[in-house]
Amino acid sequence: MRALVTGVTGFVGQHLVRWLFRETPWQIGGVVHGDARLAHDLRDRVRTYGADLRDPEATRRILADWRPDVIFHLAALAQAGASFLNPWRTLETNARIQLNVLEGMIAETPKARILAIGSSDEYGMVRPEDLPCDEQTPLRPTNPYAVSKITQDMLGLQYHLSAGLDVVRVRPFNHTGPGQAEGFVAPDFARQVAAIEAGQQEPVMRVGNLDAERDLTDVRDVVRAYLLLAERGVSGEVYNVGSGEAHAMQDVLDVLLGRSEVSIRVEADPARMRPSDVPRVVCDAGKLTSLTGWTPTIPFVRTISDVLDDWRARLRGDARADQSTQEDSR
């Protein structure tokens, strides 16, 4: 078996590759964009292709050369907040690369399976009566990133129905863990704590909306779900991945402050407030659990603590610290 991971140098991609090497005998190929690099422990184990997936011919050449049996399509511009600053870049990039991969599959690997990774942001403005969100919850996107992920999701469904491609669609809820780049709540908070401890920042943390509640799962649990869905997912179907528990952003902050080695003052930063923010999101992953038996195993406190330890290592210049890019699925 051969797997191809797009966005392989990203946060989720590197965790996924480590899990695949641990749990399968598969050969792993990965698509690298720009000057991003894999972590040291993966560089000699993954067959990498440097390419811009917005280029249809480059995408097709990779599929023709590697001939994957399964594709984990993680590559995307993944920051919801940043998508407001340049909506077209997010929409064009995420839709184009999904389309190129699907068209390339038709031409080169029509029997391969693809996990088309969407996002819980597709559900958008969920109402209290919608909770917990299952796969039938209406899609009410509140940012350009969410619209781009709906586009990817629906392209996957369309190519399954019209071209017979083996597409399994996935909607992961928020996830975090060591190696995540800035631009997301847990690493943003953790970097600030680590910088304050290291004397690189004044002892003031600047935060956004702390009341928002999100279903936050450890990335190491999420990649377990991806492998299970690659093996057992029903073609054409869509599956939520999430913990089923909501945590306020205040909870994330409390864990980090409780583990901090110094006293820190917290201040609200209007620049960190999103134009639209959903008060509470909770995942119903019952469809995934019924099919595979998957449940999350890593406690919330451990996840947030590991994010902080990762940022402490990065600011020390530890070469073994997890590295990531933002060209990754969220």
Side-chain angles (χ1 to χ4, degrees), residues 143-303:
N143 57 69
Y145 166 74
V147 175
S148 78
K149 299 309 283 186
I150 292 173
T151 303
Q152 289 187 274
D153 190 332
M154 292 299 104
L155 280 169
L157 177 60
Q158 182 241 302
Y159 273 74
H160 167 72
L161 296 173
S162 63
L165 291 183
D166 185 0
V167 180
V168 177
R169 296 173 293 136
V170 189
R171 293 176 188 155
F173 283 61
N174 293 73
H175 43 286
T176 191
Q180 190 172 29
E182 293 180 79
F184 304 97
V185 171
D188 278 359
F189 287 1
R191 185 204 59 76
Q192 290 189 72
V193 171
I196 291 168
E197 290 177 341
Q200 299 176 15
Q201 177 179 322
E202 63 177 328
V204 179
M205 277 193 67
R206 294 173 175 84
V207 302
N209 178 16
L210 296 176
D211 294 327
E213 297 181 46
R214 295 292 180 266
D215 191 307
L216 195 61
T217 307
D218 194 292
V219 66
R220 293 161 290 191
D221 280 325
V222 170
V223 298
R224 286 196 302 110
Y226 289 173
L227 175 56
L228 288 168
L229 287 171
E231 295 174 329
R232 307 183 202 175
V234 177
S235 188
E237 291 293 315
V238 61
Y239 299 89
N240 285 344
V241 179
S243 70
E245 297 181 1
H247 294 278
M249 298 304 97
Q250 182 70 57
D251 298 336
V252 176
L253 181 61
D254 288 345
V255 172
L256 293 169
L257 293 178
R259 291 205 61 224
S260 174
E261 299 168 354
V262 297
S263 178
I264 297 174
R265 187 171 80 252
V266 177
E267 293 183 356
D269 180 359
R272 295 174 185 266
M273 303 291 182
R274 288 188 186 178
S276 59
D277 209 352
V278 181
R280 178 178 170 86
V281 179
V282 187
C283 174
D284 179 348
K287 185 176 178 181
L288 167 65
T289 300
S290 296
L291 178 71
T292 68
W294 178 89
T295 57
T297 61
I298 300 174
F300 171 76
V301 172
R302 177 188 160 192
T303 299

